C-alpha cells in the first residue's frame, strides 16, 4: 500500500514542484518581452489547451496505476507491456534536470547567506562577483552545492509524508508570505506602477510566432511535465480528491507566484533604470543584488528575503525531480528509501560536479562540448528533447493506448460529460501535435 498525501499536502507538493526557478527568471522576462498580459493570456490559453491536458493525463496514469512510472506504464498498457514500460524511464530526465538545478541552488544558497552582510554596489562589480563564483571560487561553489543537494536528498529519504509533504506544507506558505510582504513593500516605490503596467497591460501587437513557442515551452516547463514527476505524485493522491479543482488550483498558484515574482523584480529594475530585457542568472544574481544595495540595510533584508524565497521555490521543485526515481527503486527494485536516496545522490552529485567544472576556468575546456558547457547540454537535452518526446508519448498512451473506460470513470465525477469530451479530444489530437511543433521548431 502506498503512503498517501493528504489533500492539501498533495496540492502543495505539486504546486511546490511547479513553482520553481522558472517562475523567477523565465516567466517575468518572457512576459515583459512579449507584451505583458497579452503574453499571460496566450500562456493561459496554451496551458489549458496543451499543458494542462497532458498534466491531467499524467495524473490519470499515476492515479490508475498507484505505482512508480515504469510499473505504471507496464500495468496500464493492454499489450506490449515491456515496451511501454520503458516510457517510465523518462524519470531519468528529472535526475538530469536536478543535476544542474542543484548547482543553481548552490549559488542561491551562497547569495542567501551573503546578502544579509554585503551587496555589490555597481553592476560591474556584481558581474565580477558572480563570474568569479563560477570561474574561480570552486570551493565555495562545491560546498554550497553539496549542502543544497544533501538537504534535498535528506528530505526525500524521509518519505512522502514525513519528508515531502511535511516540507511543502510549511515551505510553500512561507514562500507565499515572503512574496506578499515583498510585493507590499514594492508598492511604495515609483517603479511599482511601471512594473505593474509592464506586466499587466496587454499589448497584442508584440505577439508573434516566437511568443507562441515560448509560451508553450514555458507552459510545459513550469508544470513539471514530461519527467514522470506528476505521475509519481499522483500515485500518492488520496482517494476522493477532486482532481479537477486541485489541478486548477495548482495552475492558479503557479501563475500567481510568477506574477508576484515579476512585480517584485521589475519594480526594482524600473526604479533604478536597469534593463528589463535581461534574463536568467544575469537578472537575479547580477542586477537585482546591485539594485537592493541602493536601499541600504533594508536592501539587505529584502535581498535575503528574495533569495530565501527563491531557495524555498527551488528546493520544493528539486525534491520532486528526485522522487520519481527513488520511488521506482523502492517500489520496483526493493531498495530501502535510504539506499535509493544514497545511490541517486551519488549519481547526480557527479553530474553536478561536471556542471561546476564546466564553468571553472581551469577545467572548462574539458567539460565543454561543441561550444556548449556541460550545464547547457543537460538543460538543452532535457527541455528541448526529452521532455517534449515524453509529452507526446504520454498523450498518445492515455489518448489511444489505454482503454477510455477507466479514465472516464475516474474523471467523469469531477468533470462532467462535456468537459471530459473536450479534454479527451485535446489530448488525442491537439496536445501531441502542438508539442511536436515546438519540438521541431526548437531543434532546427
Ligand atoms: N517547474 C519547475 C520550475 O518552474 C522546473 C521543472 C521543470 C521541474 N521540470 C521539472 C520540476 C520536473 C520538477 C520536475 O522551475
Amino acid at each position: 500500500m502506498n503512503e498517501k498525501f493528504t489533500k492539501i499536502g498533495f496540492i502543495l507538493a505539486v504546486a511546490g514542484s511547479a513553482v520553481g526557478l522558472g517562475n523567477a527568471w523565465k516567466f517575468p522576462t518572457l512576459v515583459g518581452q512579449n507584451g505583458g498580459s497579452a503574453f499571460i493570456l496566450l500562456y493561459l490559453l496554451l496551458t489549458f489547451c496543451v499543458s494542462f491536458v497532458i498534466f491531467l493525463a499524467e495524473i490519470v496514469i499515476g492515479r490508475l496505476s498507484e505505482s512508480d512510472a515504469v510499473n505504471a506504464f507496464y500495468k496500464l498498457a493492454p499489450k506490449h507491456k515491456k515496451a511501454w514500460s520503458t516510457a517510465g524511464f523518462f524519470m531519468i530526465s528529472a535526475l538530469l534536470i536536478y543535476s544542474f538545478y542543484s548547482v543553481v541552488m548552490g549559488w542561491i544558497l551562497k547569495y542567501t547567506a551573503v546578502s544579509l552582510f554585503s551587496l555589490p554596489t555597481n553592476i560591474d562589480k556584481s558581474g565580477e562577483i558572480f563570474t568569479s563564483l563560477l570561474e574561480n571560487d570552486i570551493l565555495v561553489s562545491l560546498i554550497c552545492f553539496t549542502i543544497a543537494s544533501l538537504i534535498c536528498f535528506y528530505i526525500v529519504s524521509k518519505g512522502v509524508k514525513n519528508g515531502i509533504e511535511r516540507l511543502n506544507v510549511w515551505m510553500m506558505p512561507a514562500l507565499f508570505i515572503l512574496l506578499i510582504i515583498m510585493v507590499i513593500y514594492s508598492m511604495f516605490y515609483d517603479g511599482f506602477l511601471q512594473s505593474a503596467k509592464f506586466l499587466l497591460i496587454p499589448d497584442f501587437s508584440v505577439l508573434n510566432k516566437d511568443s507562441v513557442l515560448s509560451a508553450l515551452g514555458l507552459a510545459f516547463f513550469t508544470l513539471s511535465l514530461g519527467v514522470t514527476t506528476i505521475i509519481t505524485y499522483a500515485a500518492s493522491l488520496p482517494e476522493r480528491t477532486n482532481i479537477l479543482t486541485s489541478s486548477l488550483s495548482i495552475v492558479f498558484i503557479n501563475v500567481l507566484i510568477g506574477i508576484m515574482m515579476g512585480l517584485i523584480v521589475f519594480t526594482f529594475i524600473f526604479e533604478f533604470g536597469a534593463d528589463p530585457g535581461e534574463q536568467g542568472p544575469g537578472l537575479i544574481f547580477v542586477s537585482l543584488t546591485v539594485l537592493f544595495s541602493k536601499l541600504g540595510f533594508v536592501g539587505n533584508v529584502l535581498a535575503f528575503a528574495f533569495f530565501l524565497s527563491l531557495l524555498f521555490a527551488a528546493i520544493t521543485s528539486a525534491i520532486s525531480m528526485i522522487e520519481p526515481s527513488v520511488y521506482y527503486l523502492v517500489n520496483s527494485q526493493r531498495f530501502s528509501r535510504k539506499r535509493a536516496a544514497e545511490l541517486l545522490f551519488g549519481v547526480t552529485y557527479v553530474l553536478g560536479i561536471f556542471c561546476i567544472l564546466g564553468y571553472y576556468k581551469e577545467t572548462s575546456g574539458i567539460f565543454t562540448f561543441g561550444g556548449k558547457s556541460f550545464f547547457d547540454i543537460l538543460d538543452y537535452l532535457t527541455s528541448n528533447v526529452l521532455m517534449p518526446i515524453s509529452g507526446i508519448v504520454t498523450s498518445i498512451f492515455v489518448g489511444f493506448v489505454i482503454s477510455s473506460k477507466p479514465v472516464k470513470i475516474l474523471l467523469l465525477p469531477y468533470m462532467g460529460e462535456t468537459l471530459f469530451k473536450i479534454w479527451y479530444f485535446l489530448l488525442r489530437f491537439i496536445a501531441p501535435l502542438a508539442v511536436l511543433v515546438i519540438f521541431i521548431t526548437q531543434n532546427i
Side-chain angles (χ1 to χ4, degrees), residues 142-178:
L142 271 177
I143 293 172
C144 293
F145 155 70
T146 307
I147 297 174
S149 201
L150 281 174
I151 295 175
C152 295
F153 275 97
Y154 174 75
I155 295 158
V156 173
S157 75
K158 291 284 151 200
V160 166
K161 259 208 141 51
N162 288 327
I164 300 176
E165 168 156 340
R166 222 159 147 193
L167 175 95
N168 275 295
V169 164
W170 75 262
M171 212 174 243
M172 286 306 286
L175 165 70
F176 198 65
I177 291 169
L178 276 172

Side-chain angles (χ1 to χ4, degrees), residues 227-242:
V227 301
T228 75
T229 286
I230 307 301
I231 296 180
T232 306
Y233 275 8
S236 302
L237 181 69
E239 310 269 327
R240 287 196 300 278
T241 307
N242 185 326

Side-chain angles (χ1 to χ4, degrees), residues 153 157 322 325-330 335-346:
F153 275 97
S157 75
I322 311 170
S325 303
V326 168
Y327 185 42
Y328 164 69
L329 291 176
V330 171
F335 274 60
S336 73
R337 224 169 218 281
K338 192 159 164 285
R339 272 283 312 286
E342 282 164 2
L343 175 73
L344 297 175
F345 175 79

Side-chain angles (χ1 to χ4, degrees), residues 17-23 97 101 221-222 224 227 229 317 320-321 387:
S17 168
V19 172
L21 298 176
N23 301 58
I97 301 180
Y101 212 83
F221 186 82
T222 63
S224 308
V227 301
T229 286
S317 295
S320 78
M321 299 172 195
M387 282 161 62

